[in-house]
Amino acid sequence: MFFSDIPKIRYEGPNSKNPLAFKFYNPERIIAGKPMKEHLPFAMAWWHNLCASGADMFGRDTANKAFGAEKGTMEHAKAKVDAGFEFMQKLGIEYFCFHDVDIVPEADDIKETNLRLDIISDYILAKMRETDIKCLWGTANMFSNPRYMNGAASSNSANVFCFAAAQVKKALDITVKLNGKGYLFWGGREGYETLLNTDIKFEQENIAHLMQMTVRYGRSIGFKGDFYIEPKPKEPMTHQYDFDAATAIGFLRQYGLDKDFKLNIEANHATLAGHTFQHDLRISAINSMLGSIDANQGNLLLGWDTDEFPFNVYETTMCMYEVLKAGGLSGGFNFDAKSRRPSYTHEDMFHSYILSMDAFALGLINAAAIIEDGRIDSFIAERYDSYNHGIGARIRSGEATLEELASYAENMGTPPLPDSGRQEYLESIINNILFS
Ligand code: XUL
Ligand code: CO
């Protein structure tokens, strides 16, 4: 037991002052026809929760994530499994996500790293069998090691490309062994710093080659889940190829990958791209590509990826509105978030997850209320009413010609202004629903 002073976290309701209790996340409560926990398949991100120790560019670790073992050893890797499963069980979290190098220390020789991955995945599998905990997705870290300084599949070096392929193959093998729902590509350093040394077309074709090979291999070993791209516009590279949802969807279609891939949308990545989280969720959903979510929150005063634990209920409400409208997620809500550097105790790890699981529970409750209320949806439907009949219906059906519309316009006299957008009124409806 690593968290012996932490009890099982239970729902105590909004009046509870117990810091180690949920105020809003009540897993069995029925919202919009099913229990909260089915709407909200939460996942623990191995890297932040069990590995990240508060170090930043200006200072070393503040948090102790040794879990009683020496870092960089297989004992430490196993201790992290034990700590992670205890943590997830105490919070009632049913999924986890991992990079290959989160679960084992990387060796100099990839054959040795792969042996370690075999050992640790056996160990994880045994824990999964003892519990209800499952794997949401796995991925390969192809950005930390110096060999990936110019990218992985987008590297100028074919040898580096091969190494990336070997890592993807093994990470996918392990994901399949752990029955993961998905396999993720976050384009780490797949981007560039300057066009003076970069052939974008060549690099993007190579990324597509790696993804196509991965799909073929994955399907050949019986992987039935979704592959995901996680868009991000910048950081670490100045320009990242998977800029946002729309860019990633265009890429997937261009290279015939759209049947096998969906998107994993991260809140902080969407805001870095100059969008709202809701925008990238909507773009994914209307293209039938909303797969999974990296749940976090950025700091809009800063221009980088702060990966904060989400607490902004307005944001989680709009997120859950999109998710409910999309009919739910086939993936889950992975907390790609880290406690702030000064929040360095084990108790802070629990406070962080309680904060955000409650924020998403509130978001779910609010989103269901907005849909149930119906005013927003009926306003939107009415806003486009001119397309339900007459010339509008002819435009929608695709039958109208440009000549016909031009002659219609010429005979119209002075065209009326469109109806008011009523933004402030609609915003007041949202506040009314959220705070009454
Ligand atoms: C980086 C990021 C990654 C991916 C997985 O910004 O979000 O942690 O989620 O590689
Ligand atoms: Co992420």
Side-chain angles (χ1 to χ4, degrees):
M1 294 266 281
F2 295 97
F3 310 109
S4 49
D5 46 339
I6 309 277
K8 169 121 181 91
I9 310 298
R10 297 183 196 284
Y11 171 73
E12 291 186 5
N15 294 327
S16 168
K17 298 275 187 286
N18 177 0
L20 293 171
F22 295 119
K23 319 298 181 297
F24 303 101
Y25 180 60
N26 182 0
E28 304 304 333
R29 177 173 165 193
I30 305 290
I31 302 284
K34 55 179 192 185
M36 267 193 182
K37 68 171 187 202
E38 285 179 30
H39 285 286
L40 295 168
F42 290 127
M44 178 192 76
W46 211 274
W47 53 104
H48 284 310
N49 205 46
L50 303 172
C51 310
S53 306
D56 67 13
M57 261 128 93
F58 301 94
R60 56 181 185 272
D61 292 357
T62 54
N64 181 354
K65 300 267 175 87
F67 303 114
E70 192 187 331
K71 281 194 168 181
T73 63
M74 282 303 279
E75 285 62 45
H76 182 231
K78 286 185 179 166
K80 288 196 291 186
V81 178
D82 295 340
F85 274 77
E86 184 187 341
F87 182 85
M88 289 185 275
Q89 280 185 290
K90 287 201 158 147
L91 281 155
I93 290 180
E94 290 192 358
Y95 292 91
F96 61 87
C97 299
F98 69 96
H99 300 83
D100 45 4
V101 303
D102 304 334
I103 58 174
V104 292
E106 191 178 7
D108 290 337
D109 179 349
I110 190 171
K111 293 198 283 303
E112 170 60 23
T113 308
N114 288 350
L115 281 176
R116 293 178 186 180
L117 285 166
D118 291 336
I119 294 168
I120 207 71
S121 53
D122 282 341
Y123 194 70
I124 294 174
L125 203 52
K127 289 267 176 195
M128 290 170 68
R129 289 186 177 136
E130 284 166 22
T131 61
D132 283 337
I133 292 171
K134 301 172 275 289
C135 173
L136 183 60
W137 51 254
T139 187
N141 176 325
M142 304 190 294
F143 43 91
S144 296
N145 193 295
R147 79 176 68 88
Y148 296 123
M149 65 174 81
N150 294 333
S154 69
S155 175
N156 56 306
S157 157
N159 282 349
V160 170
F161 187 110
C162 294
F163 207 95
Q167 251 187 280
V168 168
K169 177 177 178 293
K170 189 67 182 179
L172 182 55
D173 284 339
I174 299 296
T175 303
V176 171
K177 174 171 167 183
L178 300 179
N179 201 22
K181 278 193 176 192
Y183 181 84
L184 177 111
F185 287 86
W186 167 56
R189 292 180 197 270
E190 311 291 37
Y192 70 93
E193 298 299 336
T194 174
L195 286 179
L196 295 176
N197 67 12
T198 302
D199 183 337
I200 295 183
K201 184 167 184 286
F202 186 93
E203 294 197 358
Q204 292 197 344
E205 284 167 0
N206 276 356
I207 295 170
H209 283 317
L210 182 64
M211 289 182 176
Q212 286 156 351
M213 288 178 215
T214 307
V215 169
R216 277 198 296 276
Y217 175 71
R219 299 307 179 210
S220 81
I221 59 166
F223 176 60
K224 302 233 163 24
D226 288 321
F227 292 93
Y228 300 127
I229 282 189
E230 180 178 320
K232 184 175 184 183
K234 56 185 170 187
E235 196 207 6
M237 302 308 263
T238 309
H239 304 268
Q240 305 240 155
Y241 294 135
D242 302 323
F243 190 92
D244 61 0
T247 312
I249 291 168
F251 171 86
L252 291 171
R253 292 209 177 119
Q254 182 176 355
Y255 292 105
L257 292 159
D258 49 310
K259 299 286 171 290
D260 294 281
F261 274 77
K262 289 195 167 77
L263 299 185
N264 180 46
I265 297 299
E266 175 164 327
N268 203 167
H269 295 178
T271 52
L272 281 178
H275 302 306
T276 59
F277 182 23
Q278 186 182 8
H279 170 92
D280 258 18
L281 294 170
R282 177 76 62 93
I283 295 293
S284 309
I286 61 174
N287 286 286
S288 306
M289 282 201 203
L290 178 56
S292 203
I293 284 178
D294 265 14
N296 65 12
Q297 182 179 314
N299 184 328
L300 297 182
L301 303 179
L302 303 174
W304 62 91
D305 194 12
T306 55
D307 285 346
E308 293 173 32
F309 273 92
F311 66 84
N312 183 329
V313 173
Y314 202 95
E315 294 283 310
T316 58
T317 298
M318 291 315 178
C319 166
M320 293 314 298
Y321 178 78
E322 295 303 322
V323 170
L324 287 178
K325 286 276 180 186
L329 287 183
S330 51
F333 296 80
N334 168 47
F335 286 114
D336 193 354
K338 56 184 178 227
S339 312
R340 297 303 84 192
R341 179 171 155 83
S343 304
Y344 64 91
T345 71
H346 285 173
E347 206 170 3
D348 288 305
M349 294 164 65
F350 286 86
H351 291 164
S352 301
Y353 272 76
I354 292 168
L355 168 74
S356 294
M357 290 166 77
D358 269 344
F360 270 90
L362 276 168
L364 171 64
I365 295 166
N366 291 336
I370 292 169
I371 293 169
E372 166 86 14
D373 175 273
R375 278 178 288 174
I376 300 291
D377 286 339
S378 59
F379 184 90
I380 293 174
E382 274 168 39
R383 188 158 180 258
Y384 297 96
D385 185 54
S386 64
Y387 289 92
N388 287 331
H389 38 77
I391 199 72
R394 286 189 55 75
I395 296 171
R396 292 297 290 166
S397 69
E399 286 162 20
T401 65
L402 202 61
E403 302 92 299
E404 175 190 355
L405 301 190
S407 118
Y408 180 91
E410 282 157 18
N411 293 321
M412 202 188 296
T414 314
L417 285 175
D419 291 340
S420 165
R422 300 242 186 275
Q423 182 170 335
E424 296 75 8
Y425 161 65
L426 298 166
E427 287 165 346
S428 83
I429 292 178
I430 299 291
N431 280 354
N432 178 221
I433 295 170
L434 260 58
F435 299 103
S436 56

